[in-house]
Amino acid sequence: SIEQEGILINISASGAKFQCHDKIEEDEFVLEFVLLKRNISLSATIVEQRYDQENDVFVIRCYFNNVDSKTQQTIKLAVKEITLAAKKRLQGK
């Protein structure tokens, strides 16, 4: 088991896109992060992994395996809050 830090780029109730400095060798892994003050740990399967030479990072898209309904609701709520904040920012509020 290898631990590494990454930056979450995009998330939905079914998957995520993130970047990290090391390649993930396994097809399946555990993604752990904090969202809305809740520690979340999800089993994920890699859909795409590519090296971004310009930024010297690996960009990884994955889908989540067996997400429970409570975690799905937490993710959906976080995405909704982020979307609303972005709209307000764009409207100059």
Side-chain angles (χ1 to χ4, degrees), residues 25-85:
E25 298 296 336
E26 301 85 18
D27 291 335
E28 293 190 11
F29 63 100
V30 175
L31 184 63
E32 295 178 333
F33 54 97
V34 177
L35 194 61
L36 299 178
K37 298 180 182 179
R38 182 172 169 220
N39 292 327
I40 297 177
S41 179
L42 296 171
S43 171
T45 300
I46 294 176
V47 175
E48 175 188 24
Q49 181 168 207
R50 66 177 175 80
Y51 180 67
D52 178 347
Q53 189 171 6
E54 182 178 328
N55 295 306
D56 190 29
V57 294
F58 286 90
V59 179
I60 300 161
R61 287 187 322 112
C62 63
Y63 68 85
F64 302 136
N65 305 320
N66 304 318
V67 182
D68 63 83
S69 60
K70 184 177 179 182
T71 302
Q72 280 185 338
Q73 286 304 109
T74 299
I75 294 170
K76 287 178 183 179
L77 180 59
V79 170
K80 184 177 178 180
E81 287 183 14
I82 292 166
T83 303
L84 289 174

